[in-house]
Amino acid sequence: MRAVIAVAGMGSRFFPIGKTINKCMLPILNQPVVAYAVADCVAAGARDIAIVTAPGEPGRQVRHYFSEDRDLKDYFTARGWQDKYAAVADLHTQATFTFLEQPRDDRYGTALPAIVAADFIAGDDFLLVAGDDLLLRSDGGSDLADLSAARTAAAVPAALAAATVPGTEAHRYGILHPRAVASHQLLDELLEKPDNYGEPTAYINISRTLLPAHALAYFQKLTPAPNGEYQATDAVIAFARDHDVLIHPVTGEYHDCGNPAGWLAANNAAAQSSALAG
């Protein structure tokens, strides 16, 4: 299994700091948001990880964080600071990283990272993960590992993670409509960011999907949605019309770090969890 982590967004909600700092590199405690996504992919069994970045400085930051910096390592070692560098050094032993640039052209949307990574994925199953979402767990578990195990147990080709949010926040997300089959919930439809959602809670897509390699064909056939974007959800829904896609609820506390309010909430939750653990 491989993983594709999407971090090529413009970060416009964080401007002006988003001009220079990739939103996925903003810290949650002492790690960038994307490091949590990488750790989850590794826990799920992915040892080959492609990170799809924007061109220029935001992409350079991500590449530098996940690549060995021998000069910096030597500098820390010479001063007896090996323990400080160890957390970063461990990343390089856990997975092999490939960095791919998503072109800045007239195409935009959540489906493009999978399309850009088609050669990397080759014939393998792959996780498609947003690098600016966060799942915090206090039990040391991994929601992506749980997703993979649930897909195997259900004997279906694909699975996506789902979280629950108040209905008043439904307009910010894709709403999942499941159908029950035996003891499983399979994807029936996905409603993109509804304006008027009348239910007290909403079952949402959180951009963590496990797909077989042949699902790439559905991404490559996409045309722009009415909003002009190439949407990964459109490809997943098209795939679900031909194949079973399991909906698996997450255990972790979900935070959308793609906006300042979500990022601040995630930092507060992580700080509280760290204080309790300490």
Side-chain angles (χ1 to χ4, degrees):
M1 182 171 61
R2 294 173 180 254
V4 177
I5 300 178
V7 297
M10 299 294 292
S12 60
R13 293 184 185 92
F14 287 94
F15 263 54
I17 194 64
K19 178 179 181 295
T20 298
I21 298 178
N22 191 317
K23 63 182 177 179
C24 81
M25 293 302 295
L26 292 169
I28 302 295
L29 299 183
N30 64 339
Q31 294 186 80
V33 177
V34 66
Y36 292 85
V38 166
D40 216 6
C41 289
V42 169
R47 295 295 180 267
D48 290 291
I49 299 175
I51 303 182
V52 181
T53 73
E57 177 61 20
R60 187 201 66 79
Q61 295 167 11
V62 177
R63 291 193 302 272
H64 181 255
Y65 188 83
F66 289 103
S67 299
E68 183 72 83
D69 185 332
R70 293 186 178 181
D71 289 342
L72 184 60
K73 184 177 181 179
D74 290 345
Y75 183 88
F76 272 51
T77 300
R79 284 155 181 77
W81 299 344
Q82 295 93 326
D83 290 347
K84 294 182 179 181
Y85 193 85
V88 179
D90 286 346
L91 289 171
H92 312 138
T93 65
Q94 293 170 358
T96 299
F97 294 96
T98 298
F99 303 99
L100 303 172
E101 284 194 356
Q102 181 176 308
R104 280 185 181 155
D105 52 26
D106 59 348
R107 298 184 305 164
Y108 182 78
T110 55
L112 293 183
I115 296 170
V116 169
D119 289 341
F120 166 82
I121 293 166
D124 292 324
D125 290 357
F126 66 102
L127 291 159
L128 181 60
V129 178
D132 58 4
D133 287 348
L134 181 64
L135 287 169
L136 289 175
R137 287 180 61 158
S138 59
D139 61 357
S142 161
D143 277 295
L144 284 183
D146 292 348
L147 183 71
S148 178
R151 183 190 70 151
T152 300
V156 296
L160 58 80
T164 302
V165 299
T168 53
E169 297 182 20
H171 64 281
R172 297 170 50 200
Y173 304 100
I175 307 302
L176 301 170
H177 289 259
R179 71 180 190 275
V181 176
S183 60
H184 310 305
Q185 287 190 319
L186 301 180
L187 180 62
D188 188 47
E189 192 54 79
L190 194 154
L191 180 64
E192 274 292 339
K193 298 182 180 179
D195 292 328
N196 299 298
Y197 189 78
E199 301 297 326
T201 59
Y203 211 28
I204 65 166
N205 170 47
I206 58 171
S207 302
R208 278 169 161 74
T209 311
L210 176 54
L211 296 163
H214 64 269
L216 273 177
Y218 293 81
F219 285 80
Q220 292 164 333
K221 292 176 183 176
L222 282 178
T223 56
N227 62 4
E229 295 186 15
Y230 291 80
Q231 297 180 157
T233 50
D234 289 344
V236 173
I237 284 295
F239 182 83
R241 294 189 184 109
D242 298 330
H243 308 84
D244 288 340
V245 177
L246 179 72
I247 296 176
H248 182 70
V250 297
T251 299
E253 181 181 332
Y254 172 69
H255 295 277
D256 176 7
C257 297
N259 66 83
W263 176 74
L264 287 170
N267 259 299
N268 288 335
Q272 291 173 9
S273 177
S274 178
L276 290 173

